[in-house]
Amino acid sequence: MKATKTCFACVVAQAERNLYEWDGDEKAKFEVMKEVSRSLEKAQYGMKPIELSKITNDTVRIETGVVDLYKERKLILNQKAEAVLPEIKVYANSSINPLKAFAIAAILGNHLDFGVKDVVIDSEFVNLIKSKTLAIDDFDLLTNKLAKAHQLLYILDNTGEVVFDKSFIEEIKKRYDLNVKVAVRSEPIINDVTLKEAIEVGFTPEEIIESGSNMAGMTIEIASKEFLDFWKESDVIVAKGQGNFEGLDEVKDERLFFLLESKCPVISEILGVNLGDIVLKQSQN
């Protein structure tokens, strides 16, 4: 997916939101945003949106001197997601198709994205999980693949969301005999999951691989050898969230499934869905 002219406003707004996590004064924040604006001179047509946002996020990190601005917020978001998880599990397990309900919960966990907007986990969010349906529904294609699979690669996205991802993965493992690896960002970026946050929510080090990505999404070009090896060996690949879609949407591979909420007009147009719709889409379908 190539960045469009509308992506500039988005990445600048994201950079400005990052500064809410910094204790610099207003003059210092003003100066940071000046540097953010200048940094976009490095942008080139044909870049992916996540490559564009890397420019501005790197600038914020350099100018503030803070490697992980969302360190505390990530912990809080996971804790809040874990607090509502029991209610979501009760709902999912009592639904007509429990595994699909867990999938939808994991997809709607993508709603919790500091890179796009401020987020809140409350009763309204829980009710959304109970009422939302898939605008693109390739769930049966996914489960058909899982039934024959030996290895699943699951590319994680945001904190908060990862709590619901873990429950979905646990439900998959109850039903299918397969080996699962989760891929995390290799450096802190916004509120995305790194090794630290994956372990905090209960994944073991043996279940986790470093993706090689230092962006708010994944591309094959920046992948680590460990990631590429497991990608090649996997029978099913799940890419969670909008950033992973931005980086991998041009990969045509029937093993690859995108699970996301469309939070951007450009992505909505590409997918043929409305803003706010949730999607479970096979890459080649």
Side-chain angles (χ1 to χ4, degrees):
M1 172 183 171
K2 293 181 176 61
T4 70
K5 63 183 184 300
T6 61
C7 296
F8 284 90
C10 182
V11 299
V12 169
Q14 180 189 97
E16 193 268 338
R17 280 193 300 275
N18 291 350
L19 295 180
Y20 284 103
E21 307 300 320
W22 185 47
D23 59 5
D25 60 27
E26 284 305 308
K27 182 177 185 300
K29 292 179 180 180
F30 185 89
E31 294 300 322
V32 171
M33 290 307 296
K34 280 171 60 178
E35 293 303 317
V36 166
S37 299
R38 291 190 184 107
S39 73
L40 285 171
E41 292 179 0
K42 302 172 189 174
Q44 296 179 3
Y45 185 71
M47 278 185 164
K48 298 177 185 294
I50 53 173
E51 294 171 329
L52 202 63
S53 70
K54 183 181 187 304
I55 294 172
T56 53
N57 282 312
D58 284 353
T59 301
V60 171
R61 185 180 67 251
I62 291 166
E63 295 300 318
T64 62
V66 181
V67 172
D68 191 359
L69 281 166
Y70 287 87
K71 181 178 179 180
E72 299 302 323
R73 291 287 291 271
K74 288 190 287 187
L75 179 62
I76 291 169
L77 194 53
N78 279 342
Q79 290 172 342
K80 288 187 174 182
E82 286 168 348
V84 301
L85 183 60
E87 181 180 353
I88 291 169
K89 282 186 173 181
V90 169
Y91 159 71
N93 284 319
S94 64
S95 67
I96 295 172
N97 190 331
L99 186 60
K100 190 172 189 177
F102 277 105
I104 288 173
I107 294 167
L108 274 168
N110 188 234
H111 196 70
L112 314 176
D113 186 355
F114 286 113
V116 177
K117 56 185 177 302
D118 295 328
V119 298
V120 179
I121 301 178
D122 55 12
S123 58
E124 183 179 345
F125 173 71
V126 174
N127 289 333
L128 190 65
I129 287 176
K130 294 178 179 181
S131 61
K132 199 84 168 177
T133 57
L134 294 166
I136 298 177
D137 186 351
D138 287 344
F139 178 79
D140 289 344
L141 295 175
L142 173 61
T143 55
N144 288 341
K145 287 282 187 185
L146 289 171
K148 303 170 186 175
H150 299 288
Q151 291 198 128
L152 166 64
L153 172 61
Y154 197 106
I155 309 170
L156 296 171
D157 189 30
N158 303 139
T159 47
E161 172 184 353
V162 68
V163 172
F164 308 120
D165 289 322
K166 188 170 186 296
S167 288
F168 180 40
I169 291 168
E170 288 170 352
E171 294 300 318
I172 289 172
K173 291 171 75 173
K174 286 178 186 177
R175 292 163 174 80
Y176 307 105
D177 182 20
L178 42 67
N179 180 34
V180 181
K181 293 280 189 181
V182 296
V184 299
R185 307 288 187 248
S186 292
E187 295 179 15
I189 179 74
I190 325 176
N191 67 316
D192 285 14
V193 180
T194 65
L195 177 66
K196 178 178 181 290
E197 291 81 37
I199 290 173
E200 284 174 353
V201 300
F203 288 108
T204 66
E206 294 74 25
E207 293 175 300
I208 305 166
I209 60 175
E210 294 271 6
S211 67
S213 176
N214 57 3
M215 301 187 290
M218 188 66 211
T219 69
I220 297 299
E221 291 76 17
I222 61 171
S224 66
K225 182 180 185 302
E226 183 182 23
F227 180 94
L228 286 175
D229 287 347
F230 206 83
W231 174 286
K232 292 171 185 175
E233 296 167 2
S234 293
D235 304 295
V236 182
I237 302 161
V238 168
K240 279 299 303 300
Q242 189 168 275
N244 287 324
F245 177 79
E246 291 174 10
L248 296 170
D249 76 304
E250 294 176 357
V251 175
K252 303 306 177 187
D253 189 328
E254 65 178 11
R255 301 174 301 156
L256 176 61
F257 290 81
F258 297 107
L259 282 67
L260 70 148
E261 177 186 9
S262 182
K263 296 168 288 192
C264 151
V266 178
I267 287 179
S268 292
E269 184 176 352
I270 290 171
L271 290 171
V273 300
N274 296 318
L275 203 63
D277 279 348
I278 59 173
V279 168
L280 196 165
K281 177 177 172 56
Q282 186 181 30
S283 170
Q284 287 191 328
N285 190 50

